[in-house]
C-alpha cells in the first residue's frame, strides 16, 4: 500500500487543522465533518487498515483510543458522550488507507449506522 493523503499531512506536505500531536499520534479535523466535532486520530506509523495491524501495534492502537478519549474529555464531550469509529476496507466504508480513528461528538448519534 502506497502513501496516502494522511501521510502527507503527517509530513506537513499538505495543511490540516491539527488539534493534537505526540511522538506516535497526530489528530486533525476531518475535511468533511459529520458532527460538530469530527477529528481523525492517526498513527504516525503508516498502517493501512485495522486488518493490517499486528500484536506489535497493540500499544499504538491503545494510544490512539486514549488520545481520542482525552481529547473528547478536554472538549467537554465526555459527559454527554461521543462516538469513535474505525472503518476497515470496502464494506467498512474506508476511503483513506492509513488507519485512523474517527472521533464524532456534539450531537446525538444514531444506531445502527447506515
Ligand atoms: P474513512 O472513510 O477512510 O474512514 O475516513 C476518511 C476521512 O478522511 C473522511 O471522513 C474524509 O472526510 C477525511 N479526509 C479525506 N481527505 C482528507 C484531507 O485531505 N484532509 C482531512 N482533514 N480529512 C480528509
Amino acid at each position: 500500500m502506497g502513501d496516502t493523503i494522511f501521510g502527507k499531512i503527517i509530513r506537513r506536505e499538505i495543511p490540516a487543522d491539527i488539534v493534537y500531536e505526540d511522538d506516535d499520534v497526530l489528530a486533525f479535523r476531518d475535511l468533511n465533518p459529520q458532527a460538530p466535532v469530527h477529528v481523525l486520530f492517526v498513527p504516525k506509523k503508516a498502517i493501512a487498515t485495522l486488518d493490517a495491524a499486528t500484536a506489535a501495534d497493540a500499544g499504538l492502537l491503545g494510544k490512539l483510543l486514549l488520545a481520542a478519549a482525552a481529547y473528547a474529555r478536554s472538549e467537554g464531550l465526555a459527559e454527554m458522550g461521543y462516538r469513535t469509529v474505525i472503518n476497515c476496507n470496502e464494506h467498512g466504508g474506508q476511503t483513506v488507507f492509513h488507519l485512523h480513528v474517527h472521533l464524532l461528538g456534539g450531537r446525538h448519534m444514531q444506531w445502527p449506522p447506515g
Side-chain angles (χ1 to χ4, degrees):
M1 187 69 64
D3 191 27
T4 69
I5 198 89
F6 292 174
K8 291 181 170 54
I9 289 172
I10 291 165
R11 294 192 304 275
R12 306 306 207 264
E13 291 169 10
I14 63 166
D17 186 356
I18 293 169
V19 299
Y20 173 80
E21 180 168 23
D22 64 29
D23 287 347
D24 302 308
V25 175
L26 189 71
F28 49 89
R29 294 190 194 284
D30 197 294
L31 204 56
N32 183 24
Q34 301 301 313
V37 177
H38 187 174
V39 173
L40 304 171
F41 290 78
V42 308
K44 291 183 177 177
K45 175 184 175 185
I47 303 168
T49 69
L50 183 59
D51 183 59
T54 71
D57 301 314
L60 187 53
L61 294 175
K63 283 183 181 181
L64 282 179
L65 289 176
L66 289 173
Y71 181 77
R73 209 175 303 121
S74 75
E75 290 296 295
L77 298 173
E79 188 177 343
M80 289 304 289
Y82 55 86
R83 181 166 293 173
T84 50
V85 174
I86 300 174
N87 296 322
C88 182
N89 283 333
E90 185 181 348
H91 280 190
Q94 185 173 5
T95 58
V96 178
F97 287 84
H98 182 127
L99 174 66
H100 50 282
V101 175
H102 295 254
L103 169 69
L104 298 133
R107 68 169 173 84
H108 200 284
M109 303 294 157
Q110 305 300 312
W111 192 263

